[in-house]
Amino acid sequence: MIKAVIFDMYETLITLYESPLYFGSQIALDAGIEEDKFQRLWSVAEEDRTIGKITLEEILEKVLKENGCYSESKIEYIVRKRIKCKEEAFNHLHSEILPMLRSLKEKGILIGLISNCFSEESVVIKKSILYPFFDAVCLSFDEGMQKPDQAIFCRCIDKLNVRADECLYVGDGGSCELEAAKMIGMKAVQAVWYLKEGTNQPSKRKEEFVNVETPLDILNFCL
């Protein structure tokens, strides 16, 4: 019997691809730095940014100073724009996300969240319309670990006070999350409602997992 549903955030509960993107290439343009020079520092810091070792402000300061274009106003501008883009994603929820979460609550199903995220995303998630639905949250920036480390899955399960085999894990499949969830005994399904061909989304359909086409279909696993 499923007692808890644990979700991924990006490309599962929300998508970044229905609103303007503001990733490294766009930030480099605003910073006035050639993209390859910007990415040389930005990309290699991704893991540290994900597990709480460095904030957005800190990595920007490092990149801008090493490229001789540092200013506090430039960092403030980039941070504001980055946060605005992350917030905008919550304005483009699939129409069934909120009804699905409300229905899980009505059924007495616990709801968890495990998300790989950066400092600015952690802040945005906690202020979002979705955050009050969660009974347990494990954000990589706060927890100091990231998917597919099985420890972050176990930590969320412990917070929910359930067993792994009582949990359904729902994610788009990035970061080998479905495989990790399955390895520790959870039932794992792939959320495909946001997946689109021709984008640089991190995942494609995985035939070895059940593909769930719409958010409300999640309720079928909790009967």
Side-chain angles (χ1 to χ4, degrees):
M1 178 181 176
I2 297 299
K3 294 183 178 180
V5 180
I6 301 177
F7 291 94
D8 168 46
M9 178 60 79
Y10 294 104
E11 308 316 309
T12 300
L13 292 176
I14 67 170
T15 178
L16 296 174
Y17 295 86
E18 292 292 337
S19 50
L21 299 178
Y22 197 57
F23 295 159
S25 56
Q26 292 84 18
I27 296 173
L29 187 63
D30 281 346
I33 302 172
E34 292 179 17
E35 185 174 354
D36 62 334
K37 292 182 179 179
F38 181 88
Q39 293 286 7
R40 201 171 297 147
L41 296 171
W42 177 261
S43 297
V44 298
E46 182 169 345
E47 181 174 349
D48 285 348
R49 291 165 50 223
T50 305
I51 60 173
K53 290 186 176 181
I54 190 168
T55 65
L56 174 61
E57 291 84 354
E58 290 168 342
I59 186 60
L60 287 173
E61 180 177 346
K62 180 177 181 180
V63 174
L64 269 58
K65 283 184 174 178
E66 292 205 16
N67 284 275
C69 58
Y70 170 81
S71 75
E72 289 186 7
S73 60
K74 184 175 288 188
I75 288 181
E76 289 172 359
Y77 172 80
I78 292 171
V79 170
R80 283 197 306 270
K81 190 170 180 180
R82 174 88 163 175
I83 289 174
K84 184 177 180 181
C85 288
K86 297 296 182 178
E87 291 174 336
E88 178 64 23
F90 288 89
N91 295 327
H92 301 276
L93 297 177
H94 187 290
S95 62
E96 293 183 5
I97 291 294
L98 291 176
M100 177 265 294
L101 293 174
R102 292 186 185 112
S103 293
L104 289 175
K105 284 292 186 186
E106 291 169 1
K107 290 176 177 289
I109 303 294
L110 298 170
I111 302 175
L113 174 69
I114 303 174
S115 181
N116 286 356
C117 66
F118 310 126
S119 60
E120 69 279 12
E121 293 174 329
S122 174
V123 172
V124 170
I125 288 170
K126 291 170 185 174
K127 293 180 178 179
S128 74
I129 190 174
L130 300 184
Y131 196 74
F133 285 98
F134 303 125
D135 297 292
V137 174
C138 286
L139 303 180
S140 66
F141 183 83
D142 299 331
E143 302 294 335
M145 62 181 79
Q146 63 178 322
K147 295 180 289 186
D149 187 339
Q150 293 180 13
I152 196 168
F153 293 86
C154 293
R155 185 169 294 180
C156 191
I157 291 170
D158 287 344
K159 287 184 178 184
L160 290 168
N161 195 29
V162 293
R163 300 193 313 267
D165 62 1
E166 295 172 325
C167 295
L168 175 70
Y169 184 78
V170 183
D172 68 300
S175 304
C176 296
E177 60 185 353
L178 301 179
E179 292 83 355
K182 183 179 178 181
M183 283 288 291
I184 64 170
M186 300 170 71
K187 182 176 181 61
V189 298
Q190 185 180 27
V192 299
W193 48 78
Y194 285 129
L195 295 186
K196 293 182 179 180
E197 295 296 328
T199 71
N200 60 343
Q201 288 171 303
S203 297
K204 304 300 178 187
R205 287 177 180 260
K206 296 188 173 187
E207 299 305 323
E208 64 270 33
F209 291 95
V210 173
N211 290 176
V212 184
E213 302 293 337
T214 69
L216 284 174
D217 286 341
I218 293 299
L219 302 178
N220 295 330
F221 295 91
C222 305
L223 299 175

